[in-house]
Amino acid sequence: MSKKQYKKTITRTLRDDAYEFFKENYENNVTCSAYIRNYNRFITFCRERYNAKNKEDCKKHIEQYIKYLVEEKSLSPSTVHTYVAPVVLYHGESLNA
């Protein structure tokens, strides 16, 4: 008997793709782990609020994520930067916008 094959969830697929990107591009384990952890927060936000199903869907909600961190979570600018940096790096955006 063969082992039952399970299809990955949308959330797991998004996380795995981001994990591979950060592992390939950031050799420092501490930086890589922090980027993965903070990007996972973004995925959770996108899935819960907008039911985003792929990278392009998530990319549409970067601005809303920043507003959420500032207005609803009341995070300091430096903490917002820490949370958003991996998001913009992964999506090829700029923090200067």
Side-chain angles (χ1 to χ4, degrees), residues 1-88:
M1 277 181 27
S2 66
K3 208 174 189 185
K4 192 171 185 178
Q5 293 289 325
Y6 293 99
K7 187 177 177 185
K8 283 185 182 180
T9 65
I10 293 168
T11 303
R12 172 54 56 201
T13 302
L14 287 167
R15 287 182 176 159
D16 287 352
D17 292 347
Y19 176 83
E20 290 301 319
F21 172 81
F22 291 121
K23 281 292 187 187
E24 286 176 11
N25 293 293
Y26 299 93
E27 293 179 9
N28 184 310
N29 285 335
V30 174
T31 301
C32 186
S33 296
Y35 279 8
I36 291 167
R37 182 176 52 254
N38 289 321
Y39 192 77
N40 283 337
R41 289 182 175 124
F42 176 64
I43 291 171
T44 301
F45 169 83
C46 290
R47 292 287 295 141
E48 289 176 355
R49 296 235 175 163
Y50 302 102
N51 197 28
K53 297 184 189 253
N54 56 47
K55 183 179 175 180
E56 291 74 31
D57 286 348
C58 288
K59 185 176 181 175
K60 296 175 191 174
H61 303 294
I62 295 173
E63 194 171 315
Q64 289 90 349
Y65 183 59
I66 295 169
K67 286 180 183 177
Y68 162 77
L69 294 173
V70 172
E71 295 171 5
E72 292 183 38
K73 299 290 271 180
S74 301
L75 298 177
S76 70
S78 63
T79 303
V80 170
H81 184 277
T82 300
Y83 281 28
V84 175
V87 173
V88 296

